[in-house]
Amino acid sequence: MSHPLYQRAEFLLGAHTLAQAPPDAGAEVAFAGRSNAGKSSALNVITNIHALARVSKTPGRTQQINFFGLDEQRRLVDLPGYGYAQVPEKVKRHWQAVLAEYLETRNSLMGLMLLMDSRHPLTPLDVQMLDGCFESQLPAHILLTKSDKLSRGAALASRDQVRKALLERYGVQDLAEAKLGVQLFSSLKHIGIEEAQTQLDQWLGVREV
Ligand code: GDP
């Protein structure tokens, strides 16, 4: 059984700049991905709070870093979805800068959950995020989302291809050496939820109960 901590998630605040973020203490895990990758759905099933990420979808809040408190020490963080074509160039540049600063400087950030559609993983922006994590030695765990849309065989093949591509890109024998993980996920069919929670538990220092 996973810790019931995730069910206690409560919206804390939305930040437009890093200065507005909660104090950089305790531990947090951020969720990132292209818009439409399935990030809100994943946050909803992981916390078992069905309206949780609706907060982040509220117009005006989509372009914020949304912080959710789990307890006094721990947080989940919903980063703005990237790759959305309609966003003006100026706004894109603002977010790239804020995200880069967040990933590089946030001490309480223990790891990044990176969501990618299992049918189209590793887009150039996803790889840019992974390179950023690798350079700052920040652990990243990839959720290959919507895996219910693939046959079991195709889903496993997608996972293996992503693993192989990362081993080659970062020149390692084992993904753990590059502080990386990859798993299949489906919010719809509840695939991989415990595995994702186990990774969160590790990063947030939660012991199983
Ligand atoms: P976000 O933009 O990354 O927050 O993505 P959403 O969670 O809003 O999901 C985008 C679309 O993908 C929605 O139409 C969801 O219903 C759909 N979706 C999300 N997760 C799954 C999943 O596990 N399986 C399937 N089949 N569709 C999903």
Side-chain angles (χ1 to χ4, degrees), residues 11 33-44 50-64 66 68 78-81 84 146:
F11 180 67
R34 290 180 71 85
S35 31
N36 217 39
K39 182 158 56 67
S40 310
S41 308
L43 276 165
N44 288 345
H50 290 283
L52 183 87
R54 200 187 299 151
V55 174
S56 303
K57 291 251 154 177
T58 310
R61 282 198 176 149
T62 47
Q63 292 295 320
Q64 296 183 346
N66 288 304
F68 297 91
D78 189 8
L79 299 175
Y84 190 59
K146 311 187 195 181

Side-chain angles (χ1 to χ4, degrees), residues 112-181:
L112 185 79
M113 282 282 180
L114 189 52
L115 287 85
M116 301 178 196
D117 190 316
S118 52
R119 297 162 302 168
H120 327 281
L122 296 177
T123 66
L125 286 171
D126 296 328
V127 174
Q128 203 178 309
M129 287 294 285
L130 285 167
D131 285 353
C133 290
F134 187 72
E135 277 157 29
S136 14
Q137 297 253 308
L138 177 72
H141 186 80
I142 297 173
L143 301 183
L144 294 171
T145 61
K146 311 187 195 181
S147 64
D148 58 277
K149 293 207 182 199
L150 294 172
S151 68
R152 180 83 187 141
L156 290 171
S158 165
R159 187 190 65 186
D160 290 347
Q161 272 166 20
V162 170
R163 284 189 175 151
K164 192 160 166 269
L166 296 176
L167 291 174
E168 279 174 18
R169 183 166 187 89
Y170 299 112
V172 289
Q173 300 289 319
D174 187 324
L175 285 185
E177 278 176 56
K179 301 187 199 281
L180 288 169

